[in-house]
Amino acid sequence: MQYVADWICPDTGVIVVIAPPVLDKFASYVQGKNKYEAGGILLGYRRGDHFEVIHATEPSEIDKRSRFHFVREAKYHSEIASKLWAKSNGTINYIGEWHTHPEETPTPSSLDINEWKKLTMKSSDQNPFVMTIVGAKELWTGLSHPNGLIKKLIEVT
């Protein structure tokens, strides 16, 4: 399976590029039968209005995982984000979230949408965040805006 690396918002032209190692990491967590959901945070660069995702954290032992549910515990993931931020002199930042769904073509659940809205609206950063759901065959990628709007991105092939 090969996921698409380049995404664009049809309304605004915002581009999201996901690095190949991140796509490989997503593929390693695809949910087969009886596999739990996985997830983490997306780290990378904001290039003006655009995003370059260069790292995705993996699930930790303290995250809560089940077949149809993933809850990220902040401590482990924020420690990785802090280390990469310091190592990059503040250029690598938190830019979003990812998790898996046990379906080939994923779509956000109402719980996903509500959590993304809460997360984005409570952020002091007034920029959108990248949200990705990993399915068995495809990704769903979108932007969650501080005003609560969620925009689905389309694949650039």
Side-chain angles (χ1 to χ4, degrees):
M1 138 201 24
Q2 187 163 352
Y3 293 126
V4 173
D6 301 325
W7 299 82
I8 190 166
C9 181
D11 298 340
T12 63
V14 170
I15 296 170
V16 174
V17 176
I18 304 173
V22 174
L23 297 173
D24 291 343
K25 190 173 291 184
F26 290 165
S28 74
Y29 283 99
V30 166
Q31 282 186 261
K33 290 187 179 185
N34 302 319
K35 275 186 122 179
Y36 288 171
E37 280 196 15
I41 62 174
L42 300 173
L43 301 163
Y45 304 105
R46 289 184 189 271
R47 304 204 184 276
D49 291 336
H50 310 293
F51 298 87
E52 182 182 359
V53 180
I54 63 160
H55 185 82
T57 62
E58 298 183 66
S60 75
E61 294 177 1
I62 59 174
D63 292 329
K64 293 176 179 59
R65 298 175 64 191
S66 71
R67 177 87 172 123
F68 302 104
H69 198 66
F70 175 81
V71 178
R72 180 179 56 77
E73 295 296 330
K75 185 178 183 335
Y76 164 81
H77 301 274
S78 53
E79 285 175 358
I80 293 171
S82 294
K83 286 178 186 173
L84 285 173
W85 182 82
K87 187 176 176 181
S88 72
N89 293 318
T91 60
I92 296 175
N93 289 292
Y94 167 87
I95 56 175
E97 305 269 327
W98 75 275
H99 70 279
T100 62
H101 272 194
E103 54 194 341
E104 290 185 357
T105 303
T107 56
S109 67
S110 58
L111 178 61
D112 292 333
I113 290 168
N114 288 334
E115 289 301 312
W116 294 342
K117 285 180 180 181
K118 281 194 275 186
L119 179 74
T120 309
M121 290 182 351
K122 78 177 181 181
S123 170
S124 59
D125 190 341
Q126 289 302 299
N127 293 306
F129 291 104
V130 178
M131 302 300 175
T132 298
I133 303 173
V134 178
K137 290 190 176 179
E138 296 179 22
L139 300 179
W140 184 99
T141 299
L143 295 175
S144 182
H145 293 267
N147 63 3
L149 184 66
I150 295 176
K151 289 279 196 177
K152 183 179 189 295
L153 303 182
I154 58 172
E155 301 172 349
V156 177
T157 53

